[in-house]
Amino acid sequence: MVGGANSWCGECRIECIDTLELRSASERGFLRAGSGVDTPLAMGDVMAALRWIKENIGSFGGDPKRVTLMGHDTGAALANLLLISPQAKGLFCRVALVSGSILSPWAISQDPIGLRERVSNELGCKNSAPNKEDLVRCLRGLPLSAIINLRPTPPRFLTAIGPWTSRVEPSVAVEGAGEPFLSSQLLLGTTSTESYLDLNNQDIQYGIEEDQRNRVLRTYVRNAYVYHLNEIFSTVRNEYTDWEKPIQHPINLRDSTLEALSDGHTVAPLLRLAYLHSRRGAPTYFYHFNYQTKESDYPQVEIRY
């Protein structure tokens, strides 16, 4: 189902806006601290804030039955996790996912247990914690700077520290989701160039050559997929090459590479999520933000703060 702004908002008016601060990755927000933890602590932070809003928003002129949860990038993936979590039932009625979902390959930490072990070793907590699977006590005894300065390096196009799921793959979880997934209105959106930060400034300004384009796409395919890597790479290269031009200009190669990356890691997963939501009768809306400021270095780019 595709609807316009009036269908999404109806006769609503903005009564209150709350921004939620949660524990960042470096502060254990997304670190799987123990085997008995089924969800990231950051997800619990958001649910605690939503419960507070539900109980108190009336005092500020808001309606607890008309709460909208909105997230951008990794925040969108976290909001998506809440959307399919039965524990979040009744905490919101609308969800807006901007430039992200849990179906994006970069959105979910692929190896939270391995990350926990690496963090434990680097911070000296592996042997000092009474329970090797529980880092909380050790982390609380460390200087905040030691935790903040920890910067695990993920494979390109993926994330080292981020939301994670402990039971099933994200796609399986979405397909089998019940409430609040089925009863919530869902707005999904993307910009024209979601991959602007995937290339460096020099490549953005001057373009890239064909060999570099192939290396970038091969790296993305290798890190984002498991099977049929050569077939996927060949298909992507074929679909995002302008064969009517006998000579591929570096700027054209830059543009087609950015388009392929944007579609692969953000747009296609959002469209997949929209399909899974709408096919079960849930109200679903999609927007495309296409705007270029006079000061922007590249057409139709989203400025990330």
Side-chain angles (χ1 to χ4, degrees):
M1 174 179 179
V2 178
N6 290 335
S7 300
W8 164 257
C9 293
E11 297 179 355
C12 68
R13 66 182 186 276
I14 298 177
E15 296 175 330
C16 299
I17 297 178
D18 292 291
T19 58
L20 310 181
E21 295 293 337
L22 48 87
R23 276 170 279 196
S24 67
S26 59
E27 296 172 292
R28 299 185 296 107
F30 294 129
L31 184 63
R32 187 173 184 179
S35 59
V37 181
D38 292 330
T39 57
L41 296 177
M43 186 172 169
D45 292 344
V46 178
M47 282 198 288
L50 288 171
R51 292 190 185 100
W52 186 93
I53 291 173
K54 185 177 181 65
E55 295 172 0
N56 296 278
I57 198 65
S59 301
F60 299 90
D63 186 346
K65 296 181 180 180
R66 302 178 67 184
V67 174
T68 299
L69 178 63
M70 180 177 181
H72 170 260
D73 201 77
T74 300
L78 195 58
N80 195 167
L81 280 175
L82 288 165
L83 180 63
I84 64 173
S85 172
Q87 297 175 328
K89 181 179 179 180
L91 297 180
F92 47 80
C93 66
R94 300 184 185 95
V95 175
L97 304 181
V98 182
S99 301
S101 72
I102 60 170
L103 299 185
S104 289
W106 52 260
I108 298 295
S109 177
Q110 303 296 321
D111 185 20
I113 296 178
L115 173 65
R116 184 186 68 206
E117 293 300 319
R118 292 195 299 274
V119 169
S120 176
N121 289 331
E122 291 188 31
L123 295 178
C125 288
K126 186 174 181 62
N127 297 321
S128 61
N131 183 349
K132 292 184 179 180
E133 292 188 344
D134 188 357
L135 304 180
V136 175
R137 182 176 301 180
C138 180
L139 292 176
R140 285 174 177 168
L142 293 175
L144 180 59
S145 58
I147 302 176
I148 292 178
N149 292 332
L150 188 65
R151 292 289 185 270
T153 302
R156 190 176 182 185
F157 304 113
L158 301 182
T159 183
I161 302 179
W164 45 267
T165 57
S166 60
R167 297 178 181 176
V168 296
E169 291 293 323
S171 58
V172 176
V174 170
E175 291 194 27
E179 298 295 340
F181 184 70
L182 298 180
S183 60
S184 299
Q185 296 185 42
L186 178 59
L187 173 67
L188 311 97
T190 180
T191 63
S192 293
T193 308
E194 294 287 353
S195 56
Y196 183 68
L197 299 180
D198 290 337
L199 300 180
N200 60 40
N201 292 335
Q202 181 176 341
D203 294 338
I204 292 295
Q205 183 174 359
Y206 300 108
I208 59 177
E209 298 296 336
E210 186 172 359
D211 288 345
Q212 183 180 355
R213 185 275 309 269
N214 292 342
R215 288 196 301 271
V216 170
L217 293 181
R218 282 191 182 277
T219 300
Y220 173 74
V221 170
R222 181 177 65 250
N223 291 337
Y225 299 93
V226 178
Y227 305 108
H228 310 297
L229 303 186
N230 289 331
E231 291 84 351
I232 294 174
F233 165 74
S234 298
T235 301
V236 172
R237 181 181 59 179
N238 180 71
E239 291 297 324
Y240 290 89
T241 297
D242 188 353
W243 297 107
E244 295 182 356
K245 296 181 179 179
I247 299 178
Q248 299 295 316
H249 191 276
I251 296 299
N252 294 332
L253 288 170
R254 175 204 67 185
D255 292 346
S256 63
T257 302
L258 290 174
E259 184 179 2
L261 293 174
S262 293
D263 289 350
H265 63 50
T266 301
V267 180
L270 278 170
L271 289 172
R272 173 68 176 169
L273 181 62
Y275 166 73
L276 293 174
H277 189 254
S278 62
R279 74 171 183 174
R280 299 170 71 180
T284 311
Y285 310 88
F286 196 94
Y287 74 86
H288 170 219
F289 185 75
N290 181 10
Y291 176 74
Q292 179 183 359
T293 65
K294 294 180 180 179
E295 294 79 15
S296 63
D297 296 327
Y298 185 74
Q300 305 163 356
V301 63
E302 174 187 21
I303 305 300
R304 299 186 180 183
Y305 296 94

